[in-house]
Amino acid sequence: MFLLLFGGFIGFTGYQLVWDERAQLLTSMFVAMLRSIPAFGATLTRLFIGGLGISDGTLVRILFLHIGPATALYAFLWWHYVRLRHPKIWPPGVWVLFCVGLVFLLAGVVPMTRETIPAAAPAAHPTSFPMDVFFLIPFWLLNFLPAGVVVLLLVALFVGGLAIPYASRRETPVEMGVRHSGVAQVIDGNCTGCELCYYDCPYNAIVMVPSPGPGLSKAAANRSLLAVVIESRCVECGICIGACPFEALELPKFLERDVLRQVAEALRPGSGQAVRA
Ligand code: HEM
Ligand code: SF4
Ligand code: SF4
């Protein structure tokens, strides 16, 4: 939800940057939304558009508010990718490059045609604009709802989205006992010392120690480090199992091969459990 709203804000400031009549009207609507916020309205308006109305400083603010969050988003996505990348589920690099290339090629061959909207002018008083239902939906809502209600809805979406993970019911001790699958175990022979599990364990339950000797598998023959699970910290979440590309971690009562078999069975046509689109 955070990403959706954050991305929506970046898209909205992008439309403002074009500075045509749509941008002009969007900015006025945005100001109305900000001013509807009790107590902080005027401060937020100054923060977001550099004054209480459109002024010389407005476009510079908007440029910063577009590029700053977009750059932060890329940085976070990259950080996320580096932390959670899993070679088994990530498509091979060549496929990724092919898809990116295809998008660029298609954008060149079939460029998006845009409506021409007149440039913004102080004397212009636009009353409508071509709609983008993805980025500009809150502004469409302003057709039917007062600005304050739309702001309230956005805040509710944001807070509600953040609260979802905490709203689910907690397991009872009995349910936890049934689920208990034993702390993660390192399969010494397979561990290459790559440290992926060490970085991915959210509970700091894995440490890397100097390897007492080479591993058994070919990949692990030249390792210098070995992963060790600190049992008192492990909550059996299984994240490290997914992080390890070398099948060197297991939850004893929840073996990877059993899970994969269950998934394969569930996906078999006619199993009655297949995931349907
Ligand atoms: C999550 C990333 C981003 C999203 C979703 C996004 C979205 C948009 C959108 C929807 C527009 C309006 C397009 C139009 O109708 O012309 C736009 C315009 C613009 N964006 Fe972005 N953008 C992103 C990242 C960036 C970054 C990183 C930069 C610069 C380093 C940038 C610079 C601009 C500029 C200069 C314009 C104005 C283009 C014009 O005047 O036609 N954007 N953006
Ligand atoms: S199962 Fe979870 S808590 Fe335990 S070592 Fe693996 S990632 Fe860490
Ligand atoms: S257990 Fe797996 S992910 Fe962790 S260091 Fe060893 S090979 Fe790498």
Side-chain angles (χ1 to χ4, degrees):
M1 190 53 70
F2 174 76
L3 274 183
L4 193 69
L5 292 174
F6 199 62
F9 180 75
I10 297 171
F12 154 62
T13 49
Y15 276 121
Q16 282 183 304
L17 274 186
V18 182
W19 207 240
D20 50 11
E21 285 188 359
R22 169 166 53 193
Q24 200 178 350
L25 183 53
L26 280 175
T27 308
S28 318
M29 293 164 105
F30 186 53
V31 169
M33 282 161 78
L34 290 175
R35 297 298 296 268
S36 72
I37 301 171
F40 303 102
T43 316
L44 286 174
T45 312
R46 274 194 212 98
L47 185 77
F48 280 101
I49 67 160
L52 288 179
I54 296 170
S55 66
D56 289 351
T58 302
L59 260 182
V60 180
R61 291 280 163 129
I62 295 170
L63 184 66
F64 176 77
L65 287 170
H66 186 68
I67 295 177
T71 313
L73 190 66
Y74 291 142
F76 276 120
L77 283 177
W78 177 247
W79 181 55
H80 178 74
Y81 166 76
V82 170
R83 272 185 57 83
L84 296 182
R85 172 172 60 117
H86 188 329
K88 280 182 196 162
I89 56 168
W90 188 248
V94 63
W95 269 104
V96 178
L97 287 177
F98 173 76
C99 293
V100 172
L102 196 67
V103 169
F104 274 96
L105 191 77
L106 284 175
V109 176
V110 199
M112 206 181 85
T113 45
R114 305 177 27 176
E115 334 72 10
T116 20
I117 304 174
H125 294 289
T127 50
S128 66
F129 56 78
M131 189 60 191
D132 174 333
V133 285
F134 184 70
F135 284 128
L136 302 179
I137 200 95
F139 297 91
W140 174 74
L141 287 178
L142 286 175
N143 281 318
F144 317 102
L145 300 170
V149 176
V150 175
V151 172
L152 217 64
L153 267 177
L154 289 172
V155 173
L157 263 179
F158 182 71
V159 176
L162 288 184
I164 288 171
Y166 303 97
S168 54
R169 191 179 66 88
R170 297 248 176 269
E171 276 182 317
T172 63
V174 174
E175 285 168 332
M176 281 170 90
V178 171
R179 191 177 56 84
H180 197 66
S181 39
V183 295
Q185 307 283 323
V186 177
I187 300 165
D188 185 314
N190 287 355
C191 177
T192 64
C194 70
E195 298 183 70
L196 286 176
C197 58
Y198 164 71
Y199 285 114
D200 274 1
C201 172
Y203 300 93
N204 291 336
I206 295 183
V207 288
M208 301 304 301
V209 297
S211 171
L216 290 178
S217 71
K218 204 171 151 198
N222 295 320
R223 73 179 178 201
S224 55
L225 296 170
L226 175 68
V228 172
V229 175
I230 303 173
E231 298 194 359
S232 57
R233 287 192 188 165
C234 176
V235 302
E236 306 163 23
C237 67
I239 288 174
C240 57
I241 319 293
C244 177
F246 301 101
E247 296 181 8
L249 276 157
E250 285 287 18
L251 288 175
K253 287 197 240 159
F254 214 53
L255 298 180
E256 190 171 354
R257 61 160 194 269
D258 295 338
V259 175
L260 291 176
R261 203 191 54 238
Q262 283 169 16
V263 172
E265 270 169 22
L267 292 176
R268 215 182 46 235
S271 72
Q273 297 180 53
V275 181
R276 294 199 172 85

